[in-house]
Amino acid sequence: MKHPISPEEAVAGIPDGASIMIGGFLRCGRPQRLIEALLASGKKNLTIISNDTGFAGEGIGALISSGQVARVVASHIGTNPDTQKGLIEKTMQVDLVPQGTLVEQIRAKGHGLGGVLTKTGLGTIVADEAEVLTLNGEQWLYAPPLTADFGFVYADRADMVGNLAYTLTELNFNPAIAMAADTVFAEARVIVPVGAITPDDVRTPGIVIDHLIARA
Amino acid sequence: MKHPISPEEAVAGIPDGASIMIGGFLRCGRPQRLIEALLASGKKNLTIISNDTGFAGEGIGALISSGQVARVVASHIGTNPDTQKGLIEKTMQVDLVPQGTLVEQIRAKGHGLGGVLTKTGLGTIVADEAEVLTLNGEQWLYAPPLTADFGFVYADRADMVGNLAYTLTELNFNPAIAMAADTVFAEARVIVPVGAITPDDVRTPGIVIDHLIARA
Amino acid sequence: MSKDIILRRTAKELEPDSFVNLGIGLPTGVAAYVSPENGIFFHSENGLVGLGAKPAPGLEDPSLTDAGGGFASAVPGAMSIDSNLSFGLVRGGHLAVTVLGGLQVDETGRLANWIVPGKMVPGMGGAMDLVACANRVIVAMQHTAKGAPKIVPKCTLPLTADRRVDLIITDMAVIRPTDAGLVLEERAPGVTVDQIVEATAATLIIKGVVPEMDLAA
Amino acid sequence: MSKDIILRRTAKELEPDSFVNLGIGLPTGVAAYVSPENGIFFHSENGLVGLGAKPAPGLEDPSLTDAGGGFASAVPGAMSIDSNLSFGLVRGGHLAVTVLGGLQVDETGRLANWIVPGKMVPGMGGAMDLVACANRVIVAMQHTAKGAPKIVPKCTLPLTADRRVDLIITDMAVIRPTDAGLVLEERAPGVTVDQIVEATAATLIIKGVVPEMDLAA
């Protein structure tokens, strides 16, 4: 059984310089309360690993604007001019990764695999910074597992065991991150009694969740 | 929309010598009607890729007993003395693969990945027949993607689009196989109207299913 | 108007009951030209098989968005997918067609559509996976950008994938990349071959009379 | 009786609220010695987090089985998992403990438990993943097989993993593999150190007085 904590308590233990994986795709399925608490905490030199960096001044975008982020690993920053500016002016390290590779690198870590072998990026500038392996006569781009100190995930429903159920397009990177990060905080729309989520509806087992965020 | 076919029609197009992935774990989540039709068809020299070979004379075990199987790729044959006998007496090729590696090799094929990098099997006889790669100073056993001409999967519910929903421990290898085999036949407990399985409950999208098996 | 030609012509390339991805921006508009009865399932790489039309006012749901972050709907028979399965479907060869916009396409049929180094750096998002792995890649774009040709002898921008795209559909022409080079297959209504050649920096292969696009629904 | 000692002693190794896999055969019996209130979730590698007891007669469901193929039940808060997630949980280091049977364990703490070449070839099933990747591996087995020691100087059977197991619990003793070798930590009630040494082919490190197992619930 988990003892739900507040978003403020959750981020209190995050040191400056920490790496944090954040679920969500733009505004959808994003752990907004955790992000806001991280913003309010003023923690610095953070590495954010996420599909995107949201919109300027909002959500992850607010963390970018506030200068709390030293490094971004993302697949798409087109919705946030601040992140693009940071990349162009080199005020921030921004690593752009193909979306399918990024989420599979996260899964590789969570599933104890040694990395990802993909065709994506072969023959492009992405391959210039990667290892290309020849296996059984075929070329594959190798991408290593991605680790993070913390993971912020959002779910539609959580139970007190920490089991998570998602809905519609809120899944995105959340299930992969829940398996991968060292310490995982789960923010849910609602917390329901144990048993209220059927075994078939749970997508993330509570045993990988470290802390549930209490209701607002 | 799919036009459901009988198990007999499904296996009619399978040539001697074909490779077939079969979902299920012992008796659970196994596409029994497809297996029985394959048995009745008398198709020969088959390669069966499955977690196990069931029990002697029953299900996949009946295919083994009838001599229709030339090669087995499985993780566990302990419940079927016939398969063990075939391996020991070399009347059949039996490739034993760790369960987690086997299902991940199937997923690799279905997901367009170049194979699996795992710690499992390192330092054992499994590694003698595999490639061991050193990546960023760490050793990993490499297992290639697994292909099959046909896939037999079982689901709890299917809709006419071919979407599949599973229940409890009937999932096992079925979702991975549905993505991986060239031609996939899906046998379900019931076929329900389109829309009767919510988007959150579908685990296998109909677009990867070639043929639905009609109700008995 | 010119956009309408691109969308209408592209829609005719999509086969019934197939699985199709439409890129953010112009390609998204193709869906409006596809009849719901033809059984096409649209892939939304952020997490849906069976993307439907924009929801009517009042029916927007923040739990259901498209890859551009806009409110979306789901068709009957839709499926929620996480990003791993979403890209497994792409990389695994399950996607029949992807329609994407382009910044440049060159004589070898290579596409550049994700970055203008130092100027516009949105990132590749799902584009690299889509172009490298979809069974068929259609580039749907304006023929020129501010008067400058986008179909060029060799891409000067970083490539999206080392793969020849299958078809280029613009407001002026339909062009098919082949081993021999770019073959001009169709003209937009009222556009002459000379006008197309003029607006194209790459060499076009022109065989006999080039027919006008059939844009009938 | 001897089996009861193994199960009872092994149950005491499991921490509240942890995630535990019990191998097919003897280890499965450990669950009966664990109070449901302590919040342990049992992993069934065929597809469940939260395996419960055998169902009462009449409540068997062919959709819910354990890794041995027997009818099973699910505890409140259980989750259905496919085999990919099942072994992702194992390989990814999410499993606190696995308890497995053994054919041989040697002085380096290596385990052989999946094959007797030419004689018994059941296959490794999930055992190789479990031993290679679980955070903690406990071997729970009879001390001898038909009178022959199973704890040997060096495994003659093929290894399950190149990993030192964390603890060996038998009907006679608790033994901890260490850098220095196998340390005899506990005796079963009424069993002497001499009897244990006699039944063990490997060298045991014996420091001072070896206490009797505490088997109180």
Side-chain angles (χ1 to χ4, degrees), chain D residues 28-183:
Chain D
T28 302
V30 173
Y33 293 83
V34 174
S35 160
E37 276 106 67
N38 76 355
I40 288 179
F41 275 83
F42 289 107
H43 174 251
S44 195
E45 67 256 40
N46 60 309
L48 200 74
V49 175
L51 184 71
K54 288 274 158 199
L59 293 181
E60 301 89 349
D61 179 347
S63 306
L64 181 53
T65 59
D66 61 24
F71 293 116
S73 73
V75 302
M79 171 184 184
S80 316
I81 49 178
D82 65 16
S83 299
N84 294 96
L85 184 52
S86 181
F87 284 90
L89 287 167
V90 173
R91 278 189 317 258
H94 306 287
L95 199 64
V97 184
T98 186
V99 181
L100 290 159
L103 294 170
Q104 292 181 329
V105 188
D106 70 20
E107 283 179 10
T108 72
R110 263 60 179 178
L111 169 69
N113 78 342
W114 70 281
I115 193 168
V116 181
K119 288 188 183 158
M120 189 194 74
V121 291
M124 65 292 280
M128 282 196 174
D129 293 284
L130 287 161
V131 177
C133 306
N135 288 321
R136 205 162 162 241
V137 177
I138 298 175
V139 178
M141 64 178 192
Q142 300 291 338
H143 205 92
T144 59
K146 297 176 186 164
K150 296 171 76 173
I151 303 174
V152 295
K154 185 146 183 61
C155 287
T156 52
L157 297 173
L159 296 182
T160 305
D162 185 21
R163 177 246 181 89
R164 185 167 78 198
V165 303
D166 299 276
L167 203 63
I168 307 164
I169 300 176
T170 76
D171 51 324
M172 299 184 79
V174 175
I175 295 168
R176 185 177 305 277
T178 68
D179 283 343
L182 301 176
V183 177

Side-chain angles (χ1 to χ4, degrees), chain A residues 8 28 36 72 75 94 136 146 154 167 169 172:
Chain A
E8 292 69 31
C28 192
E36 280 164 17
V72 164
S75 85
V94 181
N136 303 324
L146 258 184
Y154 182 82
T167 191
T169 55
N172 54 68

Side-chain angles (χ1 to χ4, degrees), chain A residues 7-8 10-11 20-24 26-27 29-42 46 48 50 52-54 58-64 66 68 152-154 187 213:
Chain A
E8 292 69 31
V11 303
I20 310 175
M21 289 176 177
I22 304 183
L26 295 172
R27 292 190 185 95
R30 201 133 252 176
Q32 194 59 31
R33 292 169 59 217
L34 280 162
I35 294 169
E36 280 164 17
L38 187 61
L39 181 68
S41 76
L46 302 172
I48 300 295
S50 186
D52 58 83
T53 55
E58 177 198 324
I60 297 178
L63 288 170
I64 304 287
S66 68
Q68 291 171 256
F152 290 180
V153 301
Y154 182 82
E187 174 180 330
I213 301 304

Side-chain angles (χ1 to χ4, degrees), chain A residues 104 107 114 117 167-168 200, chain B residues 104 107 114 167-168 200 203:
Chain A
E104 203 65 16
R107 179 184 187 272
L117 299 165
T167 191
L168 296 166
D200 292 344
Chain B
E104 204 65 17
R107 178 184 187 270
T167 191
L168 296 165
D200 293 343
R203 291 293 181 104

Side-chain angles (χ1 to χ4, degrees), chain A residues 75 77 84 99-100 104 120 169-170, chain C residues 63 65 83-84 121-122 125 129:
Chain A
S75 85
I77 58 171
Q84 295 189 58
Q99 201 166 121
E104 203 65 16
T120 303
T169 55
E170 291 180 353
Chain C
S63 306
T65 58
S83 299
N84 293 95
V121 291
D129 293 284

Side-chain angles (χ1 to χ4, degrees), chain D residues 180-201:
Chain D
L182 301 176
V183 177
L184 177 61
E185 295 203 331
E186 299 172 27
R187 298 172 295 112
V191 176
T192 67
V193 168
D194 284 351
Q195 285 172 317
I196 296 167
V197 169
E198 176 73 16
T200 308

